[in-house]
Amino acid sequence: MTTETAASASDLAELISRINSDLYADTAKHYPPIHKLRLWRSRVKTKAADDVTIREGAPDQPKSVDDLSQRIEELEQEGHTLRVKVKRLQEAGKTVIAQREQWKARALAAEEHLETERTRRSKGPDRFDALRRLVAKELHPDFCTGGDLEKLMRQECFKKLWPEIDRLAEREQ
């Protein structure tokens, strides 16, 4: 290598290292090196562990093996009662969900029944009124085209039939 190439190579190496350090300095603000993160995480865990052991109002630490075994039994019993409560609540939740589905089905059936009743009733008076008009037209003595005898027969039929039709009409309303 010539001296010019060596000088330019060293200048180039220096320039590259300066660029890398500038790049690293910019990214270091946003992305700290991994080893710093690991130390920070381990410190956090240690702090959390210290917080757990040092609490105000925490029960006294057991002093013997008997105390520890008694505390373990108490915790096992508490765990068992909690599991029983959870099981009971799960069963109650299933029951409530089943009841909700039954009530929902009943409500939908009742709504459908009401809709059919509304439809039937809306058609019912129309049909009844149409029948009433037809009976009035056919039996009323004023619409008679025949003789006096026919008019008299229609009048008597109308007198007997029309009060019953009026009574049915009042009951519908």
Side-chain angles (χ1 to χ4, degrees), residues 13-76:
E14 184 181 339
L15 182 62
I16 291 173
S17 67
R18 220 172 340 148
I19 291 171
N20 283 339
S21 66
D22 288 342
L23 287 175
Y24 180 72
D26 288 340
T27 58
K29 294 176 190 174
H30 303 291
Y31 304 106
I34 293 174
H35 69 279
K36 287 185 180 178
L37 283 176
R38 287 185 184 150
L39 288 175
W40 180 72
R41 287 181 185 156
S42 65
R43 284 187 200 133
V44 170
K45 288 179 185 175
T46 306
K47 270 187 173 178
D50 290 342
D51 288 344
V52 171
T53 56
I54 302 172
R55 283 191 292 181
E56 291 182 25
D60 294 333
Q61 296 294 328
K63 306 220 180 345
S64 70
V65 175
D66 292 334
D67 292 341
L68 282 174
S69 63
Q70 183 180 1
R71 181 69 178 142
I72 289 171
E73 286 178 24
E74 290 171 359
L75 290 174
E76 286 176 348

Side-chain angles (χ1 to χ4, degrees), residues 106-145:
R106 287 176 60 193
L108 290 173
E111 285 177 358
E112 186 177 325
H113 178 70
L114 282 175
E115 188 62 32
T116 56
E117 282 294 313
R118 284 186 195 126
T119 305
R120 188 184 63 80
R121 286 187 183 225
S122 68
K123 290 179 182 177
D126 293 340
R127 294 174 68 191
F128 180 76
D129 288 339
L131 181 63
R132 188 173 157 195
R133 284 190 297 274
L134 179 68
V135 167
K137 185 177 180 181
E138 293 294 323
L139 295 180
H140 199 276
D142 292 343
F143 293 108
C144 182
T145 56

